[in-house]
Amino acid sequence: MRLHQLTLQAFGPFAGNHTVDFDALTADGLFLLHGDTGAGKSTLFTAICFALYGEPPVDRELMLRSHHAPDNLLTQVTLDVTVAGRRLLIDRIPQQTRPKRSGTGDTLQKAETYLSRWTTDSLGQGRWEPSSKSHQEAGKEIKELLGMSRTQFCQVVLLPQNEFTKFLYAAAPQRRELLGKLFHTDRYAFIERWLNDHSRTVQKNRNTARDEVLHLASRIHQAAGPHLAPQHDAPTPDAPHTLTGPALTWAQDLTQASQADALQADNDAEAARKNQLAHQKLENDTRELHQRQTAHAAAREHMGRLNEQTPHHQELARRREQARRAQQLAHLLHAVTTARTDHTRAQDTERDARTRLLPEHATLKATDLATAGQSLRDDIAVLNTLLPEEDTLRQLLADLERIDAQQQDFTNQQRIAHDWLEQEAPQRTVLEGRRETARRAEEDSRGHQAQLEALGIRLAAAERRDAHLAQITTAEQRLTTTQKEAERAAQAHIDIRRRRTEGMAAELAAGLTDDAPCPVCGSCSHPAPAQAPDGHPTREAEQAAEETHQQAQHHRDAAAAELQKLRENAAGATGEAGDTPLATLKTEHHQLTQQLADTLQRAADRGIVEEELLKLDREHIAMTQQDSTATAGLSARNATYETLSRQQAELTRKLDTARGTAPTLTARIDDLTRTADHLEQAAEASRTSANLTQALHTRTSEATDAATSQDFTTLAAAEQALLSEQDLNALEEEINQWREARATHQAVLDDPALQHAAAQPPADVDAAASRRATADDQHAQAVTAATTARTRTGELTELATTLGTAVEHLKTLELAHNTARHLADLATGNAPGTRVRMQLEAYVLAARLEEVVTAANTRLHLMSEGRYTLRHSDQQAAHGARSGLGLEITDSWTGRPRKTDTLSGGESFFASLSLALGLADVVTHEAGGNPLDTLFIDEGFGTLDEDTLHNVLDVFDSLRAHDRTVGVISHVPELRRRITHRLHVRKDPAGSTLAHLTEAAE
């Protein structure tokens, strides 16, 4: 963007019409804008911003209309500017109140916008061509050409020192707010919000799917009942991993177990049916013997069995007696058992603990083991103090890798720039030759155009000439024909008149009547009237012949007049075209047209060449800047790399000694911690085992003495004789039942009536009936069990299929949730393993800030004479705060980084100015690379000493060397003496005025 002329009318503090000729003001590439406070220096930039964007440079409403201006003078701004190679004239009138043109009072003047373009016609004459009167269309076109928003334009064209000092000192959130506005990164914040919302939605769907799987598992568990025992555990909500594959495996196990159970139930039902038929037949066979059976046979049988149990019941009586004696020792025996169990467990624990020890520790006593563990704890404490050094080493390695990559990048940029600059001269020579060829062709085309226009006139005249000559021949023939026709008509008219005159007597005689006088002689007697000959013409025939004669004369005269006109036209055309044949003229016209087309085609290359030359100029500026930036960046990176390499070598030697054979310090600490834990566990297990051994010996001695007092030979015998209360009662019950049964059956055997029945064969109908009934019950139960098992198997199969569908759906949602959560965590900086908690928007802005710092250091290196270098820092903030937009400055005198707020006033100014210039470069590149040829720098120069001010002006000279114009807004007197072209803004009670001064102040 290059400013040419700015015209203000009734704008701000300027009451009248004022014009700033930037072409003259920027002749040296550097000008000074100075004047008293409040005179209106910043109003000029406000007018430029308003002309381009239709709004002032700040968001708040500014009073654009001048209070000093007369009411009938409209507030108006006109800007002549070149943007992206197009020269525009922008005329804006803001909305304001003005007097009515007729009558009294005021009316509202609506805002108006007029946009014009500078165009050149075929003759090279330039003029302004209206382009648009629409606010929206003009604003859109200007913004597209500039490639940046109003906020970006105001930030990179007007560089206010105070704002960039705030930016230099600001915390990360404030720095992020400014950069976000300049680079329009709010879309990344929207991506963060969308990813979080999407993650929550997918998580909700995933949880619903989990609940569905758990619900189906509950139904499967309920359908399976308590008797089926699968090989795998059922899924639980506390273990989400069991809700997919393990859940299907568990359901399949239950289904297979149910199928096996159903098959077994069917087999059991068939066996019960066969058993039922056998017992029915047995009952029928034995029913006839039922009445021959006697109770005597049954009693004898029972008595015999009871007699056989006599030795057994004697042994039961002996055991009962021993159990009663052992019951008195129960508490001691229980204590021995408990002590023995604890002792065995402690020995196992000690044995396991010692197996995990190192060979040199395996045989140590408990006290020695504890001492060795404490020694290792002390070593671990020492190593923990070195953990931050390991992080520092990793950071140094990362910094070295990053700086090495930057060195390679700068080297590549430097090589590319050198290669391009070496190839530029031949390209420029070729393009300038093409431009000169196109210029000469353009001059030739104008001569061909004039010749072609003259030849076109002759060609048209020759065509008319030949056409008229062809028409003359036809007209002469037509004239000859009409002359002959006129002569024939005259002859016919004369002949008819003569014949009628000759027969006039007969015509008069035809009108005579008796007793009427003759009109010729007056006689009333008409003895011999004349008779008309045959074919005598009548008066009507004579009149018709006369009319025919007149028409023929008219046609003859018209043909003669037409012939005369054609001869005159042919003479005039011949005078214009000459006697050159038409074909010759057409050949010359065609040849000249071809020559004009050829020259126009060659001349058309001029615009292309001009564009290529402009592009070559822009590339020259970019490559020169790239070479300078790469050279400075490479120098700074080399020094930094050497310093960090020395630090890395020293720290590596220190940590290698501490790590020993372990790959990392953390691994070494983990190994020592595990060894110390094993030593402490082994010491504790050894102490516990020794204590329990002593307790077992004490309990055993006490119990042995008590067993001897109860007539037991050994402690083991007392333990064997001891019975529980339930077993002792069962023993008593068995002895009593046996005695009662003997007495009952002995009474039956002594009955005389039953002795007679004993001689009969035995028959047990009741037993047969009972077995038959049992078989019936077993068959009914088996059929019921088989039906239940088949129903359960079908229900489990259906539920397992439904569960499979739900599990597949859950797998898809689990994968989707993991992906969505991972993306959301990455975007918000909360992903596991991230070095810093940097959000996506902050990450993008950090990259932009890197570019800004790189561009700023190019100027800062010159202003500070190589002392200071800005550095972007993305180290993690304290207390878990967001990171990524830190800014610090490195002092080459000390080799250490400093906080930016430790700079002095002058240092802060040129550091802020470097940041502003760097940001202008980056935003310009971000906006599409359109060059900003004019920059305004506002104040801050009063904090600089003379040498630093000289360095800053050298930076401005470097900007001028790249076809940039720098406008400095300052009150510093030294600048008035150093800068030749100055725009002095004077304030006055009647309104501010402007004065262009072209000499340095004394």
Side-chain angles (χ1 to χ4, degrees), residues 630-886:
T631 301
L634 189 60
S635 176
R637 296 309 183 280
N638 290 337
T640 304
Y641 190 88
E642 183 178 355
T643 301
L644 294 181
S645 296
R646 289 195 301 270
Q647 297 176 4
Q648 182 263 337
E650 294 174 359
L651 196 55
T652 299
R653 288 193 298 272
K654 180 179 179 181
L655 292 178
D656 286 344
T657 302
R659 282 194 294 261
T661 59
T664 64
L665 197 60
T666 302
R668 176 63 175 164
I669 292 173
D670 291 342
D671 290 342
L672 294 179
T673 301
R674 281 194 297 272
T675 302
D677 291 342
H678 293 162
L679 287 170
E680 292 171 355
Q681 293 168 2
E684 180 62 26
S686 179
R687 286 193 295 269
T688 302
S689 177
N691 293 336
L692 291 177
T693 299
Q694 182 64 33
L696 175 62
H697 178 72
T698 301
R699 298 291 185 273
T700 302
S701 298
E702 294 174 353
T704 301
D705 295 341
T708 301
S709 66
Q710 292 295 332
D711 297 330
F712 289 106
T713 58
T714 63
L715 180 61
E719 291 175 339
Q720 186 176 5
L722 181 64
L723 296 177
S724 65
E725 191 68 26
Q726 182 178 0
D727 292 340
L728 186 58
N729 291 336
L731 189 62
E732 290 279 0
E733 182 67 22
E734 185 178 358
I735 294 173
N736 292 335
Q737 288 179 357
W738 180 75
R739 288 176 179 176
E740 292 174 359
R742 278 181 58 82
T744 300
H745 292 302
Q746 188 62 45
V748 172
L749 291 175
D750 294 341
D751 188 348
L754 296 180
Q755 291 178 358
H756 178 71
Q760 301 297 322
D764 192 356
V765 177
D766 293 337
S770 176
R771 288 192 290 273
R772 201 288 306 270
T774 300
D776 290 343
D777 293 338
Q778 289 175 351
H779 178 259
Q781 292 174 359
V783 171
T784 301
T787 302
T788 302
R790 286 194 297 272
T791 302
R792 179 182 60 198
T793 300
E795 185 177 358
L796 286 176
T797 301
E798 182 180 355
L799 287 174
T801 302
T802 305
L803 179 64
T805 302
V807 166
E808 289 302 322
H809 180 57
L810 176 59
K811 286 180 179 179
T812 302
L813 291 177
E814 289 282 6
L815 181 60
H817 174 257
N818 291 338
T819 302
R821 186 67 264 163
H822 179 64
L823 290 175
D825 289 342
L826 283 177
T828 56
N830 294 323
T834 53
R835 184 172 61 84
V836 292
R837 299 178 67 244
M838 189 183 298
Q839 292 175 284
L840 178 61
E841 183 180 10
Y843 179 82
V844 175
L845 291 177
R848 295 292 186 269
L849 186 56
E850 285 274 8
E851 298 174 0
V852 171
V853 169
T854 300
N857 281 329
T858 303
R859 279 67 180 242
L860 181 58
H861 183 79
L862 297 176
M863 294 185 193
S864 64
E865 296 181 339
R867 178 179 179 182
Y868 293 116
T869 302
L870 285 168
R871 190 172 75 89
H872 160 244
S873 172
D874 58 0
Q875 293 183 355
Q876 187 170 3
H879 308 296
R882 299 292 181 181
S883 309
L885 296 175

Side-chain angles (χ1 to χ4, degrees), residues 289-310:
L289 299 176
H290 177 264
Q291 295 183 4
R292 295 191 295 270
Q293 299 297 324
T294 62
H296 186 276
R300 186 174 60 245
E301 182 181 358
H302 287 299
M303 195 64 181
R305 289 197 296 268
L306 291 174
N307 289 334
E308 293 175 357
Q309 296 176 0
T310 299

Side-chain angles (χ1 to χ4, degrees), residues 19 74 120 180 252 308 341 348 437 633 680 772 851 1002:
T19 299
L74 287 178
T120 305
Q252 292 170 359
E308 293 175 357
T341 301
D348 293 341
T437 301
E680 292 171 355
R772 201 288 306 270
E851 298 174 0
E1002 292 297 327

Side-chain angles (χ1 to χ4, degrees), residues 512-513 515-527:
L512 294 175
T513 59
D515 298 329
C518 174
V520 178
C521 63
S523 173
C524 293
S525 174
H526 313 294

Side-chain angles (χ1 to χ4, degrees), residues 38 65 75 166 265 360 449 521 564 658 683 747 831 856 898 992 995:
R65 176 156 182 81
T75 297
K166 295 177 183 178
E360 62 267 22
Q449 184 72 35
C521 63
Q564 181 62 29
R898 293 169 52 184
S992 297

